[in-house]
Amino acid sequence: MSLIVDMLKKLKTKRGNHPVPPNLKVEKRNNKKLIILSTVVIVLVIFGIGGYYYLENMPQSNLLYSQENLREQPEPDIRHPVAQQKERKQEETIEDKKEDIVGELDIIPPVSVKTEKKELPPLDKVLAKIENTEDEKESKDQPDTTDTMETQTPTKFSAYLSLAEKYLDEGNLEKSLEYYKKAYSINPSEDILNNILVLLVDTGNIKNINKYLQKTKNTEIISSVIIRLIDSERFYLAKDLIDKYIGSDPRGVISYTYGYYLETTGNISEAAFYYEKAYSRNPSDPYFAYSYGRILEIKGNYKKAYKIYKKILNLNCNDESLLDIVKSRLYLLEANEDLL
């Protein structure tokens, strides 16, 4: 028995003295992994070669078609189903209308439209047409045209005035006078009357001046006409009008005009008398004051002229050019102190 036990111990010890080297066991495991990895690589290479040949032999048009389809894929619609349904209905309605329009266009031939820019007719022609229309209405003895006339009258007046100013700017004085007369027949204002009288002088229609002067008592208008006659050297008619209106001259306007007439014709002494008369009646008028001061300076009365000029600077005068002249005269007089 002991012999058997001893034998068994020796066997156990013998196995323990000669174990299996661990490096041999690892080699066996690595061999299995290497085989699996090699198999996977071979399969991938085969698939890669097969895919390459497939792509090489595949038609390009199909490939492009598939790419375009990928690009044109719509984004997913995440809106409410009711909104999606409404939009689908609207799209269907639009498509139906498009089909109807296309169908109509196929039936109806195209029409070429020519657009031409039409110029507005001249204002005087339009007025002539209005006047002819009014004459026709009057000849037909219509029962009531009051409303029509009331609406047309302001329009006609504005048109006449616009034409008068237009022709005046163009230098067509005859036409301007014609339309000022028509405007005056609708609205007899003093401003229009003054323009008519001035144009009568400028166009040489002297015989009609008295006719229009009878329509006013405004000495400012009468004075402007007389001065226009003096400037155009129609002295005889200017003197006749001065003699006619000099008696009714409370504000000194005609006296000033007479002084201007006398100075222009070379009668300085009498001109000074009438300038002084105008200034004494209206000393707040800067033009009367300047005319009187200037005629005093011409006559050599520098001291009195200087005082008149100084007063003008204290008057309510908006004429900058007149004020500049007055200041220049004062400067020259002050530079010559011995004259004062």
Side-chain angles (χ1 to χ4, degrees), residues 33-79:
K33 288 182 180 180
L34 182 61
I35 291 167
I36 293 169
L37 182 60
S38 300
T39 304
V40 171
V41 170
I42 292 168
V43 171
L44 290 175
V45 169
I46 292 169
F47 272 106
I49 294 169
Y52 174 76
Y53 280 104
Y54 174 75
L55 292 173
E56 283 291 326
N57 297 323
M58 183 180 179
Q60 294 296 323
S61 60
N62 294 336
L63 182 61
L64 293 173
Y65 177 73
S66 62
Q67 290 176 353
E68 288 177 359
N69 285 343
L70 287 174
R71 288 196 199 100
E72 293 176 359
Q73 286 293 332
E75 295 181 0
D77 195 349
I78 59 174
R79 293 172 300 164

Side-chain angles (χ1 to χ4, degrees), residues 81-91:
V82 175
Q84 297 178 20
Q85 187 177 4
K86 285 183 179 180
E87 184 172 347
R88 282 197 294 272
K89 286 183 179 180
Q90 290 177 356
E91 290 176 353

Side-chain angles (χ1 to χ4, degrees), residues 42-270:
I42 292 168
V43 171
L44 290 175
V45 169
I46 292 169
F47 272 106
I49 294 169
Y52 174 76
Y53 280 104
Y54 174 75
L55 292 173
E56 283 291 326
N57 297 323
M58 183 180 179
Q60 294 296 323
S61 60
N62 294 336
L63 182 61
L64 293 173
Y65 177 73
S66 62
Q67 290 176 353
E68 288 177 359
N69 285 343
L70 287 174
R71 288 196 199 100
E72 293 176 359
Q73 286 293 332
E75 295 181 0
D77 195 349
I78 59 174
R79 293 172 300 164
H80 195 278
V82 175
Q84 297 178 20
Q85 187 177 4
K86 285 183 179 180
E87 184 172 347
R88 282 197 294 272
K89 286 183 179 180
Q90 290 177 356
E91 290 176 353
E92 290 173 0
T93 305
I94 292 169
E95 290 297 328
D96 293 341
K97 288 183 179 180
K98 284 182 179 178
E99 291 177 1
D100 295 340
I101 292 169
V102 171
E104 291 177 0
L105 290 175
D106 292 337
I107 297 170
I108 302 172
V111 180
S112 61
V113 180
K114 295 181 179 179
T115 58
E116 296 180 357
K117 292 183 179 179
K118 294 184 178 180
E119 295 183 358
L120 294 174
L123 187 56
D124 49 356
K125 290 186 178 180
V126 175
L127 283 171
K129 190 174 181 180
I130 293 173
E131 290 171 354
N132 292 334
T133 305
E134 289 180 356
D135 293 338
E136 289 177 2
K137 287 181 179 179
E138 290 176 0
S139 63
K140 289 180 181 178
D141 295 326
Q142 292 186 356
D144 188 11
T145 58
T146 305
D147 294 337
T148 306
M149 292 298 293
E150 286 179 356
T151 54
Q152 285 183 354
T153 298
T155 304
K156 285 175 63 178
F157 173 75
S158 299
Y160 288 148
L161 204 58
S162 298
L163 281 170
E165 292 172 356
K166 169 182 173 291
Y167 285 121
L168 184 63
D169 293 337
E170 293 176 358
N172 193 340
L173 303 185
E174 292 285 352
K175 274 286 187 182
S176 180
L177 177 60
E178 176 186 345
Y179 284 105
Y180 270 128
K181 286 180 178 179
K182 289 184 177 183
Y184 184 76
S185 66
I186 296 173
N187 181 14
S189 70
E190 290 193 337
D191 289 336
I192 297 175
L193 178 61
N194 182 73
N195 292 345
I196 290 172
L197 286 164
V198 170
L199 284 171
L200 286 173
V201 176
D202 292 348
T203 55
N205 295 311
I206 307 300
K207 59 183 180 181
N208 294 320
I209 288 178
N210 283 320
K211 172 186 172 183
Y212 282 94
L213 277 176
Q214 291 174 1
K215 299 177 183 295
T216 183
K217 294 181 179 180
N218 190 330
T219 52
E220 296 283 349
I221 294 175
I222 297 168
S223 173
S224 68
V225 175
I226 297 172
I227 289 173
R228 200 75 172 187
L229 288 168
I230 295 168
D231 291 339
S232 62
E233 298 183 354
R234 292 184 173 90
F235 300 116
Y236 65 96
L237 183 57
K239 183 64 168 59
D240 288 343
L241 292 176
I242 289 169
D243 292 340
K244 182 177 180 180
Y245 292 101
I246 192 69
S248 55
D249 184 33
R251 296 175 59 244
V253 178
I254 305 300
S255 295
Y256 165 79
T257 307
Y258 198 8
Y260 183 76
Y261 168 82
L262 293 168
E263 183 186 357
T264 305
T265 53
N267 195 338
I268 302 299
S269 296
E270 287 193 39

